[in-house]
Every structure is written in C-alpha cells, then in structure tokens.
C-alpha cells in the first residue's frame, strides 16, 4: 500500500472515530440512560400542551408546533429531545463538509469536526429539549449550502426559499441573512452593474429603514425594560449607566469569552483558539474574501448590533451557541493560512486544540451540567424515594410537598402531567399535596409552613417533604433550624453538579400545639 493510501486510511479512520464518539456522547441521556426533564425542560413540556402556538413568545413557533406533535407520544423525554439529538449529529456533518470546502488541509477539517463533536455545550444541548441544537444545525446547514452555491457560482430558487422557510424554527437565522444576501448579490448580474456611489445610497436607505423599524419595534416590545431585566439576571446586556469606555470594554470581554468558548474548556486551548480566530478574520480580509467574511463573521457582528439595540443577549450565553460553527471554521481557516507563513505556530496551536478536546473523562460528556446551562437533576429518583418511604410507614398522616422552583417545576410535571409519572406515582399524588400556588422561595416560607402544620390540630404528625435543587441560592433552607428540629430523613441525589442536585428532607411536624 502506498504512503498516500495509508494516510487516507488513517484519516478516514480518525474521522470515523471522532464522528462515532460525538454520536455516542450525544446518545447517552437520550437513547440510553434517559435523563429526567429539569426545570426549564419541564416548563417547556408543559407549554406544549397548555398554550396556543400564538402564545409561544420568544420560543420559535415552528419548534413549538413540532414539539406539540412529538409530545403526543408516550415517551416525551425521548421524542421531545429527538430534534435536538438529530440536529447535533447533523451539525457535525455540516461543519466537516463546510471545512473541507473552505480549507486546503484536510487535517484541519478533522480538527473542525473534533471541536464540534467534543464541545461540552454542543453535546449537552443535543440532549436538551430546547431549540439551541436545532438552531445550530440550521445555521451550519445553510452556511454549507451557501458556500457550495458561491463556489459553484450559481444559486437556485430553492436556496432563498429554504432560508425563509426555516425562520419559524430558528429566529436567529436572521443574523445570517445579510451574509446570504451578499452571496446571492455576488452571484447575480446586478453586482457588476451597480456603482460604488449607488451601493452607498442603497446602504444609507437600508440603514434609515432599519432605524425606523427599530423605533417602532423598540416601543412595541419594550426592549429597554427587557434588556434591563436580562442584563441584571445574566449579564448579557451592558450596564445602562456605564460610560463609553466601560461599554467598549464590556463588549471586548464578552466577545472574547464568547468566541473562545467554542475552543474548549481549558485556558490554554481558549487562548490558542482565540488567536487562530483572529488570524482567520485577518486572513479573510487580506485575501479579499469578503463574501466568506460576511458569511462567517457577519452573524457575530449582527448579534452585537442587535444587543446594542436591546434585542438579543450577548456574550457566552446559551442563546449564542449557534455561532460556534462560524467560530470554529474561522479559527481553522486561520490555522490553514498560518501554515504557509508560520508553520510551527500553526502546528502548535492545532495540537493544543486537538489535545484539549480529547475526552480525558468521557463520563463528563455523557452527563449534563449546570455549567453548560443544561443540568440533569433526577427528580424521579426523589419521587421514588418518597413513595418508598410512604409504603414503608403507612401511618395515616397529612403529607405536604414543598419545593423551590427548580425542583417544583419537574415535580409538578411528573406528578400531574407526565403520562408515565401519573401512573407510577399515583399513590404519592393521591396522598400528598404539592403546594403549587407559591413554590418555596426562602426560609421564611418554610418557617410559615411548619408553624401552620403545628397549629393545624391534626392528629399525629404532618409529613412535610422539602425538596431543594439549586443549592447556591437555597442552601440556607437545608441548614435551617426547623430542619434540625423536625427532620427525620435527608438524602442527596446525583451529586455530579455540586451546586445543582436534589436534596430531599422529610420533616415530621406534630400538630398538637401552636
């Protein structure tokens, strides 16, 4: 076998291994060892059967329509996550094929595949009943199609039709539209007939129209209030009272953190990735590849502009993972160009990125984590424990379940709405009251519940089941003196997330005195 044939075999084998590993990590929790819905997923699953599509709000209406149909099956944890799972696999394929078209070195296309396949956040959201994985696939698929059309120098009617048709499933695809429009213009006869002065006039008219639309939309949507709310909660909008330099510094930090998040979790890998990305942007400009620049970097620029106008969160946040394929392709393009001039530097950066993406702890990628905005507290294990304790001690007593929101939402779903949960936990649902009018929000609420149970005059003791998940916010409940005074049982579950895992506490509160 010739050397070139052996290298081809090694390359194909390595690509298949990376691709298979990416599929395997995405499959755990969806096809095997299915995870429970956590608070956000349980809420979205509730909405699929309890609101009209016109009330979807910020949720993509096409995605919610699809979810409504998938929710009709008896295994919603599988069916509702299936679009995200398949989209996660599709994203790997699209990014690899786009890299083969964009890059000259095939080993860097393999690096692009590896960066997508092993990125913890892309893996986590492929197991999540949220639209983020599907949005990432839509972006990578349209980007691949645009690159194919531009390189073949022709485009059909189907391309713009599909680009518009996917909008209900991925609202943020609008950030790619300017790049797509530029690519279509570059392939049309109009491109060479319009003078620079006419282009300036068209751009000015477009800017004026954008400002007018913004003026009306901002008033109708209340963007300033929403930006203030989300900015305070997640830090995804710049401080309203900051000066120009502070805002500029805020955007620089957020941009760096957002871009480098696509390069892995270690600081060294993120620096190498950020360096490669900057080189890639510079190389696209130097090569005058302005269409590819608009396709690959334009979405980031328009997300930044949308944030400045108060419409879209900015920075390393879950709503922006759809940008990862763009970042990865630009960084690999930078390394591809760097090989010609600084071969040793390019090889060193590529090796760092390859090594950093190797799953040294594969079990970490099989799980979901709060640090990736996609936790997996197993609340059905808590319900199993509660129902088992009821069966072991059949003494008649009032049972009250109280939980903070991150626990209450999944509990409510599995006790009241899940087809499987309603049957499995029928006894618990019949004998216990889940307090729904006001989830546990602090120690004052717990103290009031205990005082109410003590003054109830009910014979025997009232069982108060306390469930906490978000420990960094509600740890004071677990450590409250009422727990010490009346607690008879406590158990922690699935502690792979140190500050986001279920804690079950059973209290026996006598009702003979106030």
């Amino acid at each position: 076998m010739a050397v070139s044939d052996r290298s081809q075999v090694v390359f194909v084998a390595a690509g298949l291994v990376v691709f298979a590993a990416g599929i395997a990590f995405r499959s755990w929790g969806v096809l095997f060892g299915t995870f429970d819905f956590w608070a956000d997923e349980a809420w979205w699953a509730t909405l699929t059967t309890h609101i009209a599509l016109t009330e979807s709000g910020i949720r993509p209406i096409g995605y919610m329509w699809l979810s409504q149909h998938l929710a009709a099956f008896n295994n919603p944890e599988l069916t509702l996550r299936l679009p995200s799972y398949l989209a996660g696999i599709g994203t790997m394929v699209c990014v690899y094929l786009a890299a083969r078209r964009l890059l000259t070195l095939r080993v860097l296309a393999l690096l692009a595949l590896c960066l997508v396949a092993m990125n913890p956040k892309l893996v986590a959201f492929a197991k999540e009943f949220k639209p983020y994985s599907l949005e990432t696939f839509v972006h990578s698929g349209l980007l691949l199609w645009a690159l194919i059309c531009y390189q073949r120098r022709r485009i059909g009617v189907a391309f713009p039709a599909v680009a518009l048709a996917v909008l209900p499933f991925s609202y943020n695809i609008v950030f790619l539209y300017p790049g797509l429009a530029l690519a279509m213009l570059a392939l049309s006869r109009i491109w060479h007939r319009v003078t620079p002065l006419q282009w300036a006039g068209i751009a000015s008219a477009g800017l004026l129209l954008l400002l007018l639309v913004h003026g009306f939309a901002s008033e109708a949507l209340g963007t300033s209030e929403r930006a203030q709310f989300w900015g305070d909660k997640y830090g995804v909008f710049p401080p309203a009272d900051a000066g120009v330099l502070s805002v500029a510094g805020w955007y620089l930090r957020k941009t760096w953190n957002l871009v480098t998040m696509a390069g892995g979790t270690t600081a060294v890998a993120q620096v190498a990735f950020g360096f490669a990305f900057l080189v890639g942007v510079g190389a696209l400009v130097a090569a005058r590849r302005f269409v590819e620049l608009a396709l690959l970097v334009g979405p980031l620029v328009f997300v930044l502009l949308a944030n400045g106008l108060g419409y879209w969160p900015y920075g390393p946040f879950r709503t922006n993972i759809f940008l990862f394929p763009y970042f990865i392709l630009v960084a690999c393009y930078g390394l591809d160009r760097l090989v010609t001039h600084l071969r040793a530097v390019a090889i060193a950066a590529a090796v760092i990125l390859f090594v950093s993406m190797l799953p040294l702890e594969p079990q970490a990628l099989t799980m979901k984590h709060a640090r990736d905005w996609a936790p997996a507290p197993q609340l059905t294990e808590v319900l199993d424990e509660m129902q088992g304790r009821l069966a072991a001690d059949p003494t008649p007593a009032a049972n009250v379940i109280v939980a903070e929101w991150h626990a209450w939402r999944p509990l409510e779903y599995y006790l009241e709405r899940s087809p499987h949960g309603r049957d499995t936990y029928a006894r618990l649902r019949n004998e216990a009251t889940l307090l729904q009018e006001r989830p546990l929000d602090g120690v004052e609420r717990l103290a009031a519940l205990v005082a109410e149970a003590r003054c109830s005059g009910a014979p025997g003791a009232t069982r108060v089941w306390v469930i906490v998940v978000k420990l960094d916010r509600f740890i004071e409940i677990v450590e409250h003196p009422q727990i010490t005074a009346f607690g008879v049982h406590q158990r922690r579950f699935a502690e792979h997330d140190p500050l986001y895992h279920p804690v079950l506490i059973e209290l026996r509160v006598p009702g003979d005195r106030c």
Side-chain angles (χ1 to χ4, degrees):
M1 182 182 293
V3 174
S4 59
D5 293 336
R6 286 199 297 269
S7 65
Q8 177 68 14
V9 170
V10 171
F11 176 79
V12 171
L16 291 175
V17 168
V18 172
F19 187 65
I23 293 176
F25 290 135
R26 286 159 173 78
S27 298
W28 190 265
V30 179
L31 303 183
F32 318 105
T34 306
F35 296 136
D36 293 344
F37 285 147
W38 69 287
D40 278 10
E41 290 179 298
W43 175 230
W44 282 54
T46 300
L47 294 179
T48 59
T49 55
H50 287 77
I51 67 166
L53 286 175
T54 53
E55 300 173 1
S56 298
I58 61 173
R59 302 167 186 86
I61 191 170
Y63 181 78
M64 295 303 290
W65 170 82
L66 176 62
S67 299
Q68 283 186 347
H69 289 80
L70 294 175
F73 293 91
N74 286 330
N75 189 358
E77 288 90 348
L78 170 62
T79 57
L80 288 176
R81 287 172 175 150
L82 205 55
S84 296
Y85 171 74
L86 296 175
I89 296 173
T91 298
M92 290 192 289
V93 175
C94 290
V95 170
Y96 173 74
L97 294 177
R100 288 304 304 267
R101 289 192 164 271
L102 191 66
L103 310 176
T104 57
L105 295 176
R106 64 182 183 180
V107 69
L108 291 176
L110 182 60
L111 173 61
L113 173 62
C114 186
L115 288 169
V116 173
M118 305 301 174
N119 186 283
K121 289 176 173 53
L122 293 178
V123 171
F125 281 112
K127 313 177 188 190
E128 181 92 344
F129 171 42
K130 286 289 192 71
Y132 307 125
S133 181
L134 181 61
E135 291 170 347
T136 307
F137 169 66
V138 169
H139 277 265
S140 58
L142 274 182
L143 174 63
L144 171 63
W145 196 356
L147 290 173
I148 292 173
C149 291
Y150 183 67
Q151 290 178 357
R152 291 180 176 176
R153 313 305 296 177
R154 65 177 184 273
I155 193 167
V157 178
F159 180 77
V162 171
L164 291 174
V166 297
L167 180 60
F169 297 88
S170 175
Y171 291 161
N172 52 32
I173 197 64
V174 297
F175 298 126
L176 180 59
Y177 281 174
L180 296 180
L182 183 63
M184 288 188 288
L185 277 173
L187 295 176
S188 69
R189 297 177 181 178
I190 300 174
W191 181 264
H192 301 288
R193 294 180 179 179
V194 180
T195 67
L197 185 60
Q198 290 173 326
W199 280 122
I202 293 172
S204 299
L207 179 61
L208 179 60
L209 178 62
L210 178 64
L211 291 175
L212 289 173
V213 171
H214 166 62
F216 288 110
S218 179
E219 183 72 22
L221 299 175
T223 54
S224 59
E225 293 81 5
R226 290 195 305 115
Q228 181 68 36
F229 173 79
W230 292 110
D232 292 341
K233 186 173 183 180
Y234 293 115
V236 291
F237 287 92
D241 56 350
V244 175
L245 291 179
S246 296
V247 171
W250 186 90
Y251 276 112
L252 284 174
R253 289 192 303 274
K254 292 292 184 177
T255 301
W256 176 260
N257 292 336
L258 172 58
V259 169
T260 57
M261 189 169 60
T265 57
T266 65
V268 174
Q270 290 179 347
V271 170
F273 186 88
F275 167 74
F277 177 83
L278 293 175
V279 172
V281 173
L284 287 169
V285 174
R288 301 180 64 83
R289 300 182 70 168
F290 297 121
V291 171
E292 288 94 334
L293 185 69
L295 289 171
L296 294 169
V297 184
L300 173 64
V301 174
F302 285 102
V303 167
L304 189 150
L305 292 175
N307 179 266
L309 296 174
Y311 292 107
W312 195 264
Y314 193 68
F317 192 56
R318 56 180 173 248
T319 56
N320 294 325
I321 69 163
F322 72 90
L323 293 168
F324 283 14
Y326 302 105
F327 299 157
I328 289 169
L329 290 171
V330 172
C332 290
Y333 180 80
L335 295 176
D336 194 58
R337 299 295 91 194
L338 197 61
V339 167
T340 306
H341 306 287
L342 295 170
R343 185 178 182 87
V345 175
I347 292 174
V351 169
I352 289 172
L353 292 173
F354 262 124
V355 172
S356 69
M357 298 309 294
L358 292 176
L360 301 179
E361 296 181 357
Q363 67 276 14
L365 286 176
T366 62
M367 302 301 297
K368 293 167 64 184
H369 299 271
R371 64 173 179 261
D372 298 321
W373 310 298
Q378 299 297 92
L379 269 300
T380 56
E381 294 181 4
V382 178
L383 293 173
D384 289 337
E385 175 85 359
M386 294 166 65
Q387 190 153 267
R389 289 188 63 79
L390 279 178
D393 183 3
T395 304
N399 286 272
V400 176
I401 305 173
V402 60
E404 49 89 7
W405 189 88
H406 292 261
W408 173 77
R409 181 60 71 186
L411 290 173
E412 192 266 350
Y413 175 78
Y414 282 107
L415 284 173
E416 302 294 339
R417 307 185 190 282
S418 167
H420 172 72
R422 285 183 57 83
D423 294 334
T424 304
Y425 305 113
R427 175 174 180 174
L428 186 60
R429 189 177 69 252
N430 293 332
E431 296 187 22
T433 301
L434 174 63
L435 296 184
Q436 299 188 14
E437 71 279 3
R438 183 182 167 195
L440 187 62
D441 56 2
V443 292
E444 295 81 5
R445 173 71 165 151
L446 176 61
L449 286 170
V450 171
E452 183 181 337
R454 296 187 71 184
C455 295
S456 64
T462 299
R463 275 196 182 106
V464 179
W465 306 89
V466 180
I467 301 102
V468 175
V469 168
K470 192 170 175 56
L471 298 178
D472 55 344
R473 180 176 175 186
F474 295 105
I475 190 64
E476 70 275 7
I477 294 176
V478 178
E479 299 172 348
H480 194 263
Q482 299 280 21
I483 301 296
T484 305
F486 301 108
V488 297
H489 178 70
Q490 183 173 142
R491 181 182 169 188
R492 292 175 179 262
F493 298 79
E495 297 183 52
H496 65 275
D497 262 341
L499 297 178
Y500 201 100
H501 61 265
V503 178
L504 169 66
I505 305 165
E506 180 186 351
L507 310 181
R508 297 288 183 91
V509 183
D512 54 354
R513 62 187 179 89
C514 291

